[in-house]
Amino acid sequence: MFVALCTLIFIHFCALITPGPDFFLVSQTAVSRSRKDAVLVAFGICLGAMVWSLLALMGLNIIFEKMAWLKQGLLVAGGLYLCWLGYQMLRSAFSKGEQSIKQIVLPQSPYLFFMKGLLTNLSNPKAVIYFGSVFSLFLTNPVLEHLHAVLFLVISAETAIWFLFVTFVFSLPACKAFYQRSVKWIDSISGGIFTLFGAF
């Protein structure tokens, strides 16, 4: 039981540290805005991970097996949303003036920061594949049959800790200063990455 739980923790950690839309959104928010705004984005991403975890616990992989079109639909819709985010970042990167960049890239309302994190995670194709397959496989392990609530808490806590760590690191003054010097290049690269993720 302990080995199976540690294996899941390790695999989820590997999934978290692999750069994806969630990571780039949190890091870009942390360097371009305040730490508070990035924390709100991180909380939105954590809620998204919790939703995916609950769906996996309720048999997400079985639903995907019986309705393959639903999985494909989610992947397409998520890809389109990520492409839209990438377009927004690319457009802001080539806009004139730093002030116009900040106004276009990110919303001003704290609620919208939270929703942006939530929607980015829910639309992340990597999350669809991970929770619909890899994570779901662990739920079929009889050793973990009575630990589903623990798995949910572990996934939630691990996700929160990682993205709060990312928020802290990228909101440091040195990172912010580097962003101010390279804002056009950073937003261009971030926008390109989001667009590639969405297209993929």
Side-chain angles (χ1 to χ4, degrees):
M1 179 179 67
F2 178 76
V3 174
L5 187 59
C6 289
T7 302
L8 175 61
I9 292 173
F10 176 74
I11 289 177
H12 187 63
F13 177 72
C14 291
L16 287 173
I17 65 175
T18 303
D22 294 340
F23 172 83
F24 287 108
L25 181 63
V26 172
S27 59
Q28 198 226 20
T29 305
V31 297
S32 63
R33 299 299 295 259
S34 67
R35 182 174 292 175
K36 177 183 176 181
D37 293 336
V39 167
L40 289 171
V41 172
F43 283 162
I45 291 172
C46 290
L47 179 58
M50 293 169 69
V51 170
W52 283 120
S53 299
L54 283 175
L55 290 175
L57 291 170
M58 295 169 62
L60 181 63
N61 61 324
I62 298 176
I63 296 175
F64 282 163
E65 288 176 2
K66 293 185 176 181
M67 295 187 294
W69 59 268
L70 178 60
K71 183 176 182 178
Q72 293 300 319
L74 288 173
L75 290 174
V76 171
L80 291 174
Y81 177 72
L82 294 180
C83 285
W84 179 80
L85 285 180
Y87 167 74
Q88 293 293 312
M89 291 181 183
L90 287 171
R91 188 178 70 172
S92 72
F94 293 101
S95 297
K96 294 181 179 179
E98 183 178 332
Q99 185 65 28
S100 64
I101 288 176
K102 290 186 177 181
Q103 288 177 348
I104 293 174
V105 174
L106 295 169
Q108 301 298 318
S109 168
Y111 168 77
L112 292 180
F113 279 108
F114 176 82
M115 288 304 299
K116 193 165 189 177
L118 175 62
L119 291 176
T120 299
N121 181 268
L122 292 179
S123 65
N124 187 353
K126 188 177 80 169
V128 176
I129 296 171
Y130 172 73
F131 285 102
S133 56
V134 179
F135 181 73
S136 296
L137 288 176
F138 279 88
L139 301 180
T140 61
N141 189 336
V143 177
L144 300 175
E145 184 176 355
H146 303 293
L147 295 176
H148 287 179
V150 175
L151 295 180
F152 174 78
L153 293 175
V154 166
I155 294 299
S156 303
E158 195 173 359
T159 303
I161 291 171
W162 169 248
F163 284 111
L164 288 176
F165 172 75
V166 172
T167 296
F168 174 79
V169 170
F170 281 88
S171 61
L172 292 174
C175 290
K176 284 183 171 292
F178 176 77
Y179 176 80
Q180 294 300 329
R181 295 193 303 268
S182 314
V183 58
K184 184 175 182 178
W185 289 104
I186 292 175
D187 282 356
S188 296
I189 293 172
S190 297
I193 290 173
F194 268 79
T195 303
L196 287 175
F197 268 111
F200 177 77

